[in-house]
Amino acid sequence: MHHAHIDKFAYQDSPVHRLDARVKFIVMVIFMAFVISLPPNSVVILSLYAIGPFAVLVSGRIPLRFVFKQIIIVSPFILVLALSCPFYDRTPVSVSFGPLSWQITAGWLRCCNILAKFTVTMMCIIALVSTTRFTNLLEGLGKLGIPKILTAQLGLLYRYIFVVIDKAQHMLLSRRARSSNYLGFRNELKTASAMIGSLFIRSIDTAENISIAMQGRGFNQKWRSLSQMHTGWADYLFIVLSAIYILALELFAKPVLT
Amino acid sequence: MHMANELLSVPVAGATLTIAGGALAFITRRARKIIDADKLALMGILGAFVFAAQMVNFRLPAMPGTSGHLVGSVLLSIVLGPTLGAIVISSVIIIQCLIFQDGGLLALGCNIINMGIIPCYAGYYIFKTIKAESWQNTRTYVAVIIACVVSLEIGAALVPIEAAMSGVLLVPMSTFLVTMLGVHAIAGTIEGIVTAAVLGYLLQVRPDIIGDSLHGKIRLSKPAVIASLSIFTVITAAGLSLLASGMPDGLEWSYAERPDQSDFETTIANESTVIPKVDAFQEKFSLMPDYTVRSSKLGQTAQLEYEPAAAWTSMAGLIGAFLTMGFIWLFAQIIRKRSNSKPNPDTIAA
Amino acid sequence: MTSAIEIKDYSYAYADGTAALKDISLIIEHGQKVVLIGPNGAGKSTLLLAMAGFVKGTGKIFVDGIEVNKKNNKKIRGLIGCCVENPEDQLFMPTIYEDVAFGPLNLRLEKDEVKARTRQALETVGLWSLADKPPHHLSAGQKRAAAIATILSMKPGIITLDEPTSSLDPTCRNKILRIIRELPQTIIVATCDMNFAAEFAEHAVLIDNGQKTAEGEPQKIMAEEQLMTSHGLEVPWKYRKSI
């Protein structure tokens, strides 16, 4: 089904896709930390911070429409909180922008700041996960010291999300096919809990089969995997470029624009 | 409720990431001894189950147009035990962040604490304390509901606390807290009812699943749990209050918001020498020293005085940024056209 | 010379007391291509699991002369590769490549040997070009082939497959048939797809109600209409008399 392709862009090929997952992960985390630590009144400078993840997205051939759709899908919570700001700080602030200047409240400024930060960090995380295969990311995280059990668990989870979601969707479809009107909360609850319950039982049965498949291939409590990680010149180049970019923003752009 | 990156300051994000990472490392270390193929497969698939279960929505009474869904942390910790439950839920949160971009990467620590570790352990022990001996007893189901409500509320209460410590939001903490608690009281009750109903269903169809047979064999003893929880609380509180005192970002704003209290700034300044230093640093380096209303006098309408040059700089910055992105995009388009015209042999990374 | 599989008076009952297998005795020679046919719920899958030591009943099973019991589990699972019915369950690793490499890694082989075996197994089933894809990006037929590759990479002498053609279209079915027919190993397939069984088998065993009801050359057993229909099966096209 279609949800299965939420990570399809990670399977493309491009120079950014070929970078070491560890390098990308660390650079992105550091970059995001810099973005988050920008003062709450900066708005314009965030557009400069957007260039980095934007460049990664574009050179990774990730369609921008997908990126923005994804950002909008997850935005409601942050949107509500950001929009609450104008209500709590009504201090008028005059803002001038080029030849224009107008009055808004500091709360709006803060609201824009939160939303802009949100957009930039979202671009960042999308740039990371849609140019990195999840398996490589996991392997990288394992190399960075995440316990093996957790990476194995994440790997299995990632593998079976799509399988179980498919099952759930079939169940939802069969419920929709047979329920035309609302029969009250009790009934609704009864159906939902029976669906979840049977999903649970089927999951447990699946787990038994997987366990047989694992043991059938000699699994004995130790999770082994082949390492395919290597850091090449492109990775060092990426690190250097990112460092220059972040430092340039920090040292030159930030003092001018905040 | 997923915490977002933007509501956190770097110290709070760092501290919560460290705490969550440490807790997870501790839990997995303990779990390692008991995990075999059966358990590993079960944990993986139950994590996926949580995702799927969240898709099974149901219409809520009295609130047309809204629908609820299960979170699953209490369900899992009752069936699997809190340790394996916490690992499963934490991995679900990590996947939500990395694959579905729900909840920020820097906020991952907060989310694992708020929605994974705390609900699993708190929920499990509340359930265990209240429940009756048998599953036939109504009290057991009441225990499930209470466990859900309380554990969700604890997690929800942490969100405004973390946000307040970061000082990004302007909403007064009390308002935010009351809203979060209110919303989660409803969400928790529904979660409780559904969890109880699911457990009831499982009991009917597969009683072997509920009857302790699936539990992990490790359970921390009660004193160990209480001790570790209290140590955790003390460390968190101490660490975060230390951080807060050294955190110009959050505090600066909290006093900047109160231009009506002219002596507010001085009291802060007396306590901490960090802030004036930071102020001086900022003034030295920024063309727009103090965007805020600090320069205004008591009672006056606060007005910001911009230097015209600064306004032009910011416009140039914005336009420059978008032009750069436009160029990058165009450049990529051109390169792509070229490389598309040549057949690209399929290469296998493996 | 030992047989590949030797089962002596094997019985197995579920936890609730229902008998799943009753007094089964069976000998399978090395290199034989065997089908276990029978209706749904006859006990075919349970018998396959019993051969690899996943269920414990009464009676004896020998794989390559070694008795199946808890102590020998490790050895047995190196000799017999068992593929569960649903390829979604068989393929539990994030990518096909890792999945096929999982078995050899657990055999603690050298890295180069693991890589070589993985590549060889994937090439045998024609999936080398899709090695780095995650299973959910594959079609049903490809998943099935990948599931077989996960067994092949361990190079067992005996392979058991449970319903390898369920929910496959005819093209995929034929592809699977071609793959497993050319394998040199002893292959035991449990199926109720009679046309597939007729194309594949050198030896057929009919199981119903947990009991071995008939055994022999495929054309003899499967062509008997009375026998087939009374056990919920059908005569495959290959053995039907032309009208």
Side-chain angles (χ1 to χ4, degrees):
Chain A
M1 283 200 185
H2 309 292
H3 59 79
H5 295 290
I6 188 161
D7 62 339
K8 65 181 166 192
F9 298 113
Y11 293 86
Q12 294 177 342
D13 188 39
S14 81
V16 223
H17 282 82
R18 270 173 252 141
L19 290 175
D20 189 323
R22 286 170 292 183
V23 171
K24 270 187 279 189
F25 181 78
I26 293 172
V27 168
M28 290 293 180
V29 169
I30 293 173
F31 181 73
M32 276 195 254
F34 273 104
V35 172
I36 296 306
S37 62
L38 282 175
N41 47 21
S42 48
V43 178
V44 168
I45 193 173
L46 279 160
S47 65
L48 292 179
Y49 276 86
I51 295 176
F54 182 85
V56 173
L57 283 168
V58 168
S59 46
R61 299 207 219 166
I62 315 299
L64 296 178
R65 184 200 289 229
F66 165 81
V67 176
F68 290 108
K69 218 170 110 191
Q70 202 58 28
I71 293 179
I72 288 167
I73 288 174
V74 291
S75 64
F77 178 58
I78 193 82
L79 206 60
V80 169
L81 287 172
L83 286 176
S84 73
C85 287
F87 292 100
Y88 288 97
D89 190 353
R90 292 171 191 272
T91 329
V93 172
S94 71
V95 175
S96 25
F97 183 69
L100 310 165
S101 86
W102 66 93
Q103 286 244 337
I104 55 167
T105 63
W108 277 110
L109 218 56
R110 170 100 45 133
C111 166
C112 293
N113 169 266
I114 291 178
L115 291 180
K117 277 186 182 173
F118 175 69
T119 313
V120 175
T121 52
M122 278 298 292
M123 279 167 80
C124 232
I125 184 94
I126 295 175
L128 172 66
V129 293
S130 52
T131 64
T132 316
R133 294 176 189 200
F134 190 68
T135 41
N136 293 352
L137 193 58
L138 270 189
E139 200 186 327
L141 291 176
K143 287 262 161 70
L144 291 172
I146 306 270
K148 264 251 161 94
I149 288 187
L150 202 58
T151 52
Q153 156 73 9
L154 285 170
L156 277 173
L157 177 50
Y158 170 75
R159 167 70 186 94
Y160 284 102
I161 288 173
F162 304 110
V163 177
V164 185
I165 284 182
D166 262 355
K167 282 186 194 163
Q169 270 180 345
H170 292 148
M171 283 166 103
L172 287 171
L173 193 72
S174 78
R175 177 178 71 171
R176 223 174 27 242
R178 283 176 292 167
S179 62
S180 44
N181 37 4
Y182 185 62
L183 295 173
F185 184 58
R186 258 187 90 91
N187 247 308
E188 190 87 347
L189 194 66
K190 211 171 144 196
T191 329
S193 59
M195 285 169 76
I196 293 172
S198 69
L199 204 58
F200 193 92
I201 290 169
R202 283 167 77 173
S203 304
I204 285 181
D205 291 341
T206 311
E208 270 162 24
N209 281 331
I210 297 168
S211 163
I212 287 175
M214 279 182 182
Q215 290 173 39
R217 285 188 269 152
F219 177 75
N220 50 352
Q221 319 233 348
K222 201 152 185 272
W223 196 259
R224 290 164 218 277
S225 57
L226 270 184
S227 168
Q228 290 162 13
M229 291 253 132
H230 51 89
T231 319
W233 62 269
D235 298 298
Y236 298 116
L237 185 68
F238 182 71
I239 295 174
V240 171
L241 284 179
S242 318
I244 293 175
Y245 173 59
I246 294 174
L247 282 178
L249 284 176
E250 238 359 68
L251 295 178
F252 302 112
K254 201 171 156 190
V256 180
L257 280 172
T258 31
Chain B
M1 200 57 82
H2 282 99
M3 188 73 170
N5 283 335
E6 294 66 45
L7 304 183
L8 292 176
S9 65
V10 173
V12 175
T16 47
L17 273 174
T18 317
I19 293 170
L24 265 186
F26 178 72
I27 294 173
T28 45
R29 185 173 289 270
R30 297 202 59 124
R32 195 166 52 192
K33 292 179 197 128
I34 57 139
I35 284 191
D36 51 12
D38 286 332
K39 291 245 165 50
L40 204 57
L42 190 63
M43 284 162 62
I45 197 94
L46 285 185
F49 157 79
V50 169
F51 267 95
Q54 293 186 349
M55 294 171 55
V56 179
N57 54 339
F58 37 87
R59 280 170 272 183
L60 297 177
M63 288 181 282
T66 56
S67 65
H69 68 75
L70 191 75
V71 180
S73 44
V74 176
L75 178 65
L76 283 196
S77 52
I78 289 174
V79 176
L80 286 175
T83 308
L84 297 189
I87 297 179
V88 172
I89 298 283
S90 304
S91 64
V92 167
I93 294 166
I94 296 173
I95 295 272
Q96 273 174 340
C97 167
L98 288 180
I99 307 271
F100 298 91
Q101 286 101 37
D102 208 352
L105 188 58
L106 297 178
L108 201 53
C110 285
N111 285 329
I112 288 178
I113 294 172
N114 303 351
M115 304 195 302
I117 296 172
I118 288 196
C120 282
Y121 277 94
Y124 181 76
Y125 284 101
I126 292 167
F127 168 73
K128 250 191 109 180
T129 320
I130 304 177
K131 74 163 184 149
E133 280 303 306
S134 102
W135 276 97
Q136 313 305 329
N137 200 324
T138 328
R139 203 172 90 194
T140 308
Y141 293 95
V142 175
V144 172
I145 295 174
I146 294 175
C148 284
V149 175
V150 177
S151 61
L152 248 70
E153 289 278 35
I154 299 174
L158 286 170
V159 172
I161 293 173
E162 287 150 357
M165 280 191 289
S166 304
V168 177
L169 276 188
L170 291 177
V171 188
M173 190 180 130
S174 53
T175 318
F176 195 11
L177 191 65
V178 170
T179 320
M180 286 299 277
L181 289 182
V183 170
H184 283 82
I186 303 170
T189 316
I190 294 164
E191 168 93 10
I193 295 171
V194 178
T195 307
V198 171
L199 286 169
Y201 177 89
L202 291 178
L203 207 67
Q204 237 175 35
V205 188
R206 284 281 295 269
D208 55 311
I209 293 174
I210 308 246
D212 269 359
S213 57
L214 278 176
H215 275 221
K217 278 171 202 85
I218 38 153
R219 296 235 191 90
L220 304 176
S221 62
K222 235 181 214 168
V225 171
I226 294 168
S228 52
L229 270 183
S230 48
I231 291 172
F232 167 82
T233 319
V234 170
I235 292 176
T236 320
L240 290 179
S241 58
L242 271 177
L243 280 172
S245 63
M247 206 164 39
D249 214 38
L251 280 185
E252 184 182 42
W253 272 83
S254 65
Y255 70 81
E257 280 152 26
R258 302 184 204 187
D260 48 336
Q261 295 177 2
S262 52
D263 54 353
F264 193 74
E265 188 167 348
T266 44
T267 47
I268 295 273
N270 283 345
E271 276 171 14
S272 156
T273 53
V274 180
I275 289 164
K277 274 187 200 154
V278 172
D279 278 355
F281 183 79
Q282 271 188 349
E283 265 163 52
K284 204 164 147 196
F285 280 98
S286 68
L287 273 186
M288 285 183 263
D290 281 335
Y291 208 137
T292 62
V293 284
R294 204 173 314 163
S295 56
S296 69
K297 291 211 175 73
L298 190 83
Q300 268 184 335
T301 321
Q303 279 282 341
L304 275 187
E305 296 301 326
Y306 273 108
E307 309 209 357
W312 286 103
T313 325
S314 58
M315 183 162 116
L318 193 69
I319 293 173
F322 280 99
L323 272 181
T324 316
M325 287 193 251
F327 274 126
I328 292 173
W329 188 74
L330 261 179
F331 190 59
Q333 292 294 321
I334 293 165
I335 290 185
R336 204 166 307 166
K337 281 236 173 75
R338 282 212 184 145
S339 65
N340 277 0
S341 56
K342 282 180 252 165
N344 208 359
D346 252 7
T347 45
I348 302 296
Chain C
M1 178 76 190
T2 54
S3 315
I5 303 265
E6 191 177 350
I7 302 175
K8 281 184 189 159
D9 303 323
Y10 189 84
S11 301
Y12 172 75
Y14 292 120
D16 61 357
T18 328
L21 296 172
K22 282 174 250 167
D23 292 326
I24 295 212
S25 293
L26 183 65
I27 289 179
I28 293 169
E29 297 303 337
H30 282 287
Q32 241 178 352
K33 307 272 184 276
V34 181
V35 284
L36 304 179
I37 50 175
N40 295 332
K44 300 173 302 233
S45 308
T46 315
L47 187 59
L48 291 186
L49 289 181
M51 290 177 195
F54 285 108
V55 295
K56 185 128 188 52
T58 55
K60 287 196 165 143
I61 300 182
F62 297 92
V63 175
D64 219 354
I66 299 168
E67 189 180 346
V68 175
N69 57 26
K70 207 161 184 187
K71 204 178 78 213
N72 290 338
N73 258 352
K74 221 171 156 187
K75 246 186 257 170
I76 297 295
R77 285 173 196 163
L79 295 172
I80 189 165
C82 117
C83 187
V84 298
E85 178 178 350
N86 190 347
E88 297 282 11
D89 301 343
Q90 182 73 23
L91 303 168
F92 50 80
M93 294 292 275
T95 66
I96 301 300
Y97 186 87
E98 287 174 88
D99 219 307
V100 178
F102 183 86
L105 276 172
N106 282 325
L107 296 175
R108 315 220 182 154
L109 299 170
E110 290 292 312
K111 248 184 194 168
D112 291 329
E113 173 70 7
V114 172
K115 284 181 184 166
R117 280 189 178 201
T118 308
R119 177 163 192 157
Q120 195 192 356
L122 281 167
E123 277 170 347
T124 311
V125 300
L127 285 180
W128 176 241
S129 61
L130 298 172
D132 52 350
K133 290 263 186 272
H136 64 265
H137 286 199
L138 262 57
S139 72
Q142 290 167 335
K143 277 182 206 168
R144 195 71 68 155
I148 294 172
T150 63
I151 302 297
L152 292 183
S153 64
M154 295 185 72
K155 298 201 172 164
I158 306 159
I159 295 176
T160 70
L161 302 168
D162 195 355
E163 296 285 1
T165 59
S166 62
S167 65
L168 287 189
D169 60 37
T171 318
C172 292
R173 206 192 63 144
N174 291 337
K175 215 174 265 168
I176 298 292
L177 180 67
R178 257 203 313 281
I179 291 169
I180 60 177
R181 209 162 40 183
E182 277 159 26
L183 293 174
Q185 281 98 333
T186 312
I187 297 180
I188 307 161
V189 172
T191 186
C192 47
D193 177 347
M194 297 304 290
N195 290 314
F196 175 77
E199 292 296 329
F200 166 74
E202 295 167 353
H203 189 81
V205 180
L206 174 60
I207 291 176
D208 195 5
N209 259 327
Q211 282 165 317
K212 188 173 87 177
T213 317
E215 184 182 359
E217 282 180 30
Q219 58 265 41
K220 276 192 187 145
I221 291 187
M222 294 188 206
E224 246 181 84
E225 195 169 349
Q226 181 65 35
L227 184 68
M228 289 294 105
T229 46
S230 67
H231 291 288
L233 300 169
E234 58 175 359
V235 177
W237 288 110
K238 193 174 165 186
Y239 299 130
R240 282 193 198 182
K241 295 176 189 97
S242 49
I243 308 160

